Amino acid sequence: MRSHRPHPAERPPLEFSTWIGRHQLISVAMTATITLVVGWSAAVGHSGATLLAYVAPLLVAVALATRPALGESVRSCAMVVGLFTGAALVAELAQGSVIAPIGYFLALCLASLYERYAPLVVGVLMLFVHEALFGTVIPDGTPIHGLPH
């Protein structure tokens, strides 16, 4: 006989030790994203002001994600916003390289580690907003090299 598995919405939240471990893992990915954006932006010769404009939203997301007073849900969502913003910046810097959309998939996988709907919904909404604002997952609309238009 099959055992009844509760609906995901009925499951209790992750134990705090599990959540914090996953949050720390995701923060390592966020650190790597920030490093990649800063390095790539500097390598293509962006000015200090442009580099700061690229990194500022990521740093705001990290600041919110590290404030215990905000609670796990808000902190998780802040981290996911940062990851998707980082993916958008990497896609912009890639200018049509096939690597451009990979960051979105990685961000969605990392968001799933929280095992809650809110971070996943935030991630999917970030993709839809990005698609609506820019018309493509690559912000400047450049076609991906090697793929059909």
Side-chain angles (χ1 to χ4, degrees), residues 46-118:
H46 286 153
S47 68
T50 302
L51 192 134
L52 182 60
Y54 272 37
V55 175
L58 303 178
L59 295 177
V60 168
V62 168
L64 293 172
T66 56
R67 305 219 25 116
L70 294 178
E72 294 170 27
S73 184
V74 172
R75 292 170 64 194
S76 299
C77 289
M79 189 65 82
V80 169
V81 167
L83 287 170
F84 277 90
T85 302
L89 292 171
V90 169
E92 174 71 23
L93 290 165
Q95 296 180 349
S97 167
V98 75
I99 193 134
I102 291 175
Y104 294 110
F105 299 117
L106 291 174
L108 199 56
C109 291
L110 290 169
S112 72
L113 290 176
Y114 287 120
E115 294 186 30
R116 287 287 160 250
Y117 287 123

Side-chain angles (χ1 to χ4, degrees), residues 4 11 16 20 33 40 50 52 58 63-64 76 80 82 91 93 102-103 124 132 137 143 145:
H4 172 70
R11 287 192 325 219
F16 184 71
I20 199 72
T33 300
W40 202 335
T50 302
L52 182 60
L58 303 178
L64 293 172
S76 299
V80 169
L93 290 165
I102 291 175
V124 171
V137 293
H145 302 301

Side-chain angles (χ1 to χ4, degrees), residues 14-37:
L14 290 175
E15 290 203 22
F16 184 71
S17 61
T18 303
W19 180 86
I20 199 72
R22 291 178 184 186
H23 193 67
Q24 288 172 342
L25 172 70
I26 294 167
S27 69
V28 170
M30 189 66 194
T31 301
T33 300
I34 292 170
T35 303
L36 178 65
V37 167

